[in-house]
Structure formats: C-alpha cells, structure tokens
C-alpha cells in the first residue's frame, strides 16, 4: 500500500455512508472518532475513508476545511503503517469532535492512537473462542 489518498480511496457513496452510520461500530480517541464497518466494495478496495468536521462546532468553512485537510493528510501518512497487510475491507468515517482548532502534530499523534485502538478492537472480535 502506498502513501496515496486517491479517488478510489474516498468514501463517497451516500448509501455506504448511511449504512456506515446505522450499522457501524466506533472507537474514540478525543478529539477523533472513527466509525467503521466491515464491507465489500465493487472496485475491490481495501479501505474507503471519509472525514467530517461539525458545522455546529466550527462555523467558518475555512476552519472546517483546514481541519479536514489535516485529517486527510494524517490518514494518508499513517494508512500504510497500520493497514499494509490488511485483507479485510472496511469503510471508515473519521470525525473531529472538538470545538478548538488544532495542529498537524496533535492530529497525527491522535490518529496513530486511534488506529491502534481500532486494530486492538478488531483483533479481539476476530479471535475464535475455544
């Protein structure tokens, strides 16, 4: 897996997003929340991801867009480290929950913690009980 976040990797389908919010599970590392759902994609993608920043918490579009750019960049850089050997397909939505602005270093560190928490949660669910 490469350090790319191209069109193929973006979660854009309205049906997929609705299904993700209705059926998905979540992990939170404040100020980030990851909603995920194991699913299959028609284009055989492994991961499809979307990012969201609340309009209620960040009134100005400039602030929302900056945070979304930072989220996408942190995701793009950390994706190969955590999902390089993944064979399971997931749909992700990364939400930013804080009212405050942020820096790239903060988001990058929280993104790493979020992915570790996600992997720990999914590993627990995959282990067969004997």
């Amino acid at each position: 897996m490469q350090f790319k976040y191209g069109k193929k990797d973006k979660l854009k389908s309205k049906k997929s997003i609705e299904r993700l919010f209705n059926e998905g599970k979540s992990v939170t590392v404040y100020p980030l929340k990851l909603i995920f759902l194991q699913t299959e994609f028609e284009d055989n993608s492994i991961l499809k991801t979307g990012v969201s920043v609340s309009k209620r918490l960040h009134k100005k579009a400039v602030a929302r867009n900056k945070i979304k750019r930072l989220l996408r960049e942190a995701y793009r850089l950390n994706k190969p480290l955590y999902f390089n050997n993944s064979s399971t397909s997931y749909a992700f939505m990364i939400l930013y929950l804080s009212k405050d602005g942020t820096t790239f270093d903060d988001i990058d560190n929280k993104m790493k913690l979020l992915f570790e928490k996600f992997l720990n949660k999914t590993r627990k669910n995959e282990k067969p009980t004997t």
Side-chain angles (χ1 to χ4, degrees):
M1 197 175 287
Q2 298 174 343
F3 289 99
K4 289 185 177 181
Y5 184 59
K7 189 173 184 178
K8 184 181 170 186
D9 300 328
K10 294 179 183 172
L11 183 65
K12 292 185 173 188
S13 167
K14 190 172 182 178
K15 287 181 183 178
S16 296
I17 293 171
E18 284 180 14
R19 194 166 152 243
L20 177 65
F21 278 102
N22 290 334
E23 302 172 20
K25 298 175 184 159
S26 68
V27 290
T28 304
V29 174
Y30 190 81
L32 302 178
K33 181 176 186 175
L34 175 69
I35 301 172
F36 62 94
L37 181 65
Q38 187 173 342
T39 185
E40 292 296 321
F41 300 110
E42 292 177 11
D43 62 356
N44 297 324
S45 295
I46 301 283
L47 298 171
K48 285 197 182 268
T49 306
V51 295
S52 178
V53 179
S54 171
K55 197 173 191 178
R56 186 184 304 161
L57 299 177
H58 297 276
K59 303 288 185 198
K60 298 193 183 271
V62 173
R64 287 194 305 276
N65 290 338
K66 180 182 180 185
I67 293 170
K68 287 192 284 187
R69 278 196 313 271
L70 294 174
L71 287 171
R72 284 191 291 263
E73 183 66 6
Y75 169 77
R76 182 185 74 82
L77 292 174
N78 290 308
K79 178 177 68 166
L81 303 174
Y82 292 95
F83 302 107
N84 203 13
N85 298 323
S86 178
S87 59
T88 311
S89 296
Y90 284 102
F92 286 162
M93 180 64 75
I94 301 170
L95 308 172
Y96 186 76
L97 305 174
S98 176
K99 279 186 177 182
D100 304 323
T102 187
T103 63
F104 176 74
D105 291 333
D106 292 340
I107 286 186
D108 191 47
N109 292 332
K110 296 296 182 176
M111 189 74 70
K112 289 175 184 174
L113 294 172
L114 187 69
F115 286 157
E116 287 173 13
K117 195 170 181 181
F118 162 75
L119 290 174
N120 288 336
K121 186 171 185 174
T122 54
R123 282 186 190 130
K124 282 184 202 174
N125 295 339
E126 289 176 359
K127 288 183 181 176
T129 54
T130 54

